Amino acid sequence: MVCPRDWPEPVVRVQSLSESGKPVIPDRYIKPPPDRPVFNSSSPDDDINIPVIDLAGLTSDDLTLRESTFKEISAACREWGFFQVINHGLKAELVDGVRDIWREFFHEPMEVKQQYANSPKTYEGYGSRLGLEKGAILDWSDYYFLHYLPPPIKDHNRWPAQPSSLREIVEEYSKEIVRLGKVLLEVFSINLGLKHDYLQKAFGGDDIGACLRVNFYPKCPQPDLTLGLSPHSDPGGITFLLPDENVSGLQVRRGDQWVTVKPAPHAIIANIGDQIQVLSNAIYKSVEHRVIVNSDKERVSLAYFYNPKSDLLIHPASELVTEETPALYPSMTFDEYRLFIRTRGPQGKSQVESLKSPR
Ligand code: OGA
Ligand code: NI
């Protein structure tokens, strides 16, 4: 399949729609009734949250604490596919700084942002839709997508030049996220009973991929009719999400409920992507999530995708394939998988499920 050069329809910036001050949203953003969010003043999940894990325990001299931290991560991976980490080693000023600088970028004049308008060929730059289906119902968000690794595809000219410190701050943040990605892959490998460097090697050693999507969810006059981001699982390895601490919006599927994530101060949310589901032969599952919007606050989030090298074959670890637990997925490169996803846009968990070997 050849990837088209351009979008099937003229691009509309959600931020412009929001700033127009119209009290109704265009039909293109209205979800069918069963897909709309339900806003309860006191929802039964008020006390439920994804686990918060203190990563300081991983390097503690106290062996019991170290073991219990590994166990907490193991349980979170199996039961939620999502957790928040604190004491992750990123300074509070860095996480606040990188979020603030992107907020500033989205408040630059439209002409400045338009210089970076993206195309579906690489998705890199300023964008307002995922997926190419003509006439699709769209999500209430704009975004900025950029590549950090592998080095040959990092191009600073495709990163915003303004605010002037953006590139430097994003570099620093990226380096830290890649470090954290290595730490978690090692913990996951050990927790799965694999060699400590199994997953890092399966991802390509130092030749991994890393890319950032900064999501901007403008205020929405009719938040009960639309979504900021439709239900999906993340296609890559691990996602590190830096949420907006002032505004909630991320919801994680738990059975037939949507649990709203309450971010801990300066926490980073980690979640399992489809490639880890494949490598672990579904011991860990990538979990569906979505974003709701609201009428009085915009929201900014940074989703960092830590991915396998794009041309390596990813398949269930042979150590995890037994007669009772046969391989659930065929081998596929991340390049092939991503092309498939990018053509279709957010589709719940149907993609990784559709890969399942027929049996
Ligand atoms: C994503 C994502 C959640 C959020 O970008 O893949 O799930 O809170 N973002 O913005
Ligand atoms: Ni996601």
Side-chain angles (χ1 to χ4, degrees):
M1 187 174 17
V2 185
C3 221
R5 267 169 204 288
D6 226 332
W7 300 107
E9 291 143 335
V11 174
V12 176
R13 302 303 176 188
V14 175
Q15 190 175 7
S16 305
L17 289 174
S18 174
E19 287 171 1
S20 76
K22 291 209 180 78
V24 292
I25 63 174
D27 290 349
R28 293 292 310 268
Y29 298 89
I30 301 180
K31 306 289 174 188
D35 298 348
R36 294 178 195 168
V38 178
F39 291 89
N40 292 334
S41 49
S42 65
S43 98
D45 79 5
D46 272 354
D47 305 328
I48 315 179
N49 199 5
I50 58 171
V52 178
I53 299 177
D54 186 343
L55 286 192
L58 288 178
T59 48
S60 167
D61 292 334
D62 178 347
L63 184 61
T64 324
L65 179 61
R66 237 172 34 224
E67 281 177 353
S68 67
T69 308
F70 273 81
K71 285 209 178 103
E72 278 176 52
I73 297 175
S74 170
C77 290
R78 286 168 188 262
E79 289 160 27
W80 284 90
F82 255 91
F83 51 98
Q84 314 190 36
V85 294
I86 55 170
N87 289 319
H88 38 55
L90 279 77
K91 293 203 172 74
E93 302 84 71
L94 179 59
V95 299
D96 290 341
V98 75
R99 197 193 297 107
D100 287 347
I101 205 89
W102 279 106
R103 203 188 301 278
E104 251 181 80
F105 169 77
F106 283 101
H107 286 287
E108 302 259 358
M110 194 49 85
E111 315 82 81
V112 174
K113 290 178 292 215
Q114 290 289 22
Q115 291 169 12
Y116 301 96
N118 76 345
S119 89
K121 200 166 154 50
T122 64
Y123 271 85
E124 199 160 18
Y126 180 49
S128 296
R129 72 183 283 167
L130 302 166
L132 287 166
E133 191 201 331
K134 215 174 160 157
I137 298 178
L138 302 177
D139 289 339
W140 192 264
S141 53
D142 300 319
Y143 61 85
Y144 200 101
F145 183 66
L146 60 82
H147 286 286
Y148 176 64
L149 286 176
I153 61 168
K154 177 172 91 177
D155 180 358
H156 269 190
N157 293 320
R158 291 179 174 273
W159 298 18
Q162 298 294 335
S164 58
S165 56
L166 184 142
R167 289 174 182 167
E168 194 186 329
I169 296 179
V170 173
E171 278 287 336
E172 195 184 339
Y173 182 73
S174 304
K175 204 167 90 202
E176 288 292 311
I177 290 291
V178 170
R179 177 189 58 76
L180 200 54
K182 289 188 174 156
V183 171
L184 285 195
L185 276 191
E186 182 161 357
V187 174
F188 292 178
S189 299
I190 295 167
N191 280 341
L192 286 164
L194 300 167
K195 277 181 65 184
H196 74 100
D197 57 355
Y198 183 94
L199 289 174
Q200 190 67 51
K201 279 195 172 144
F203 269 51
D206 281 331
D207 296 332
I208 56 136
C211 49
L212 170 64
R213 186 168 67 222
V214 184
N215 300 298
F216 183 73
Y217 304 97
K219 292 178 200 170
C220 177
Q222 296 179 296
D224 44 350
L225 299 183
T226 192
L227 289 168
L229 191 51
S230 292
H232 65 284
S233 63
D234 293 341
I238 306 177
T239 303
F240 292 99
L241 184 87
L242 181 63
D244 195 323
E245 284 174 23
N246 303 316
V247 202
S248 61
L250 174 62
Q251 296 188 318
V252 175
R253 187 195 278 286
R254 181 102 164 135
D256 53 11
Q257 273 207 50
W258 288 102
V259 174
T260 303
V261 172
K262 293 131 200 120
H266 301 114
I268 293 177
I269 298 165
N271 66 281
I272 305 284
D274 295 342
Q275 305 306 307
I276 299 267
Q277 175 167 335
V278 171
L279 280 158
S280 72
N281 205 25
I283 295 175
Y284 294 169
K285 295 191 182 64
S286 62
V287 166
E288 233 183 307
H289 50 287
R290 69 177 190 183
V291 176
I292 56 173
V293 290
N294 71 85
S295 56
D296 48 53
K297 283 184 184 140
E298 65 183 37
R299 179 171 180 271
V300 178
S301 72
L302 276 70
Y304 225 116
F305 304 107
Y306 186 96
N307 295 331
K309 182 171 186 293
S310 66
D311 58 357
L312 288 181
L313 282 173
I314 301 292
H315 53 80
S318 56
E319 291 84 340
L320 304 176
V321 174
T322 65
E323 215 162 301
E324 296 78 54
T325 58
L328 290 171
Y329 311 98
S331 293
M332 197 189 246
T333 68
F334 185 51
D335 271 337
E336 291 165 335
Y337 190 71
R338 190 155 50 179
L339 186 56
F340 173 57
I341 298 265
R342 284 185 173 172
T343 317
R344 305 202 330 163
Q347 301 269 347
K349 281 212 50 162
S350 54
Q351 285 101 334
V352 71
E353 295 307 331
S354 71
L355 284 183
K356 279 214 172 117
S357 321
R359 57 185 60 258

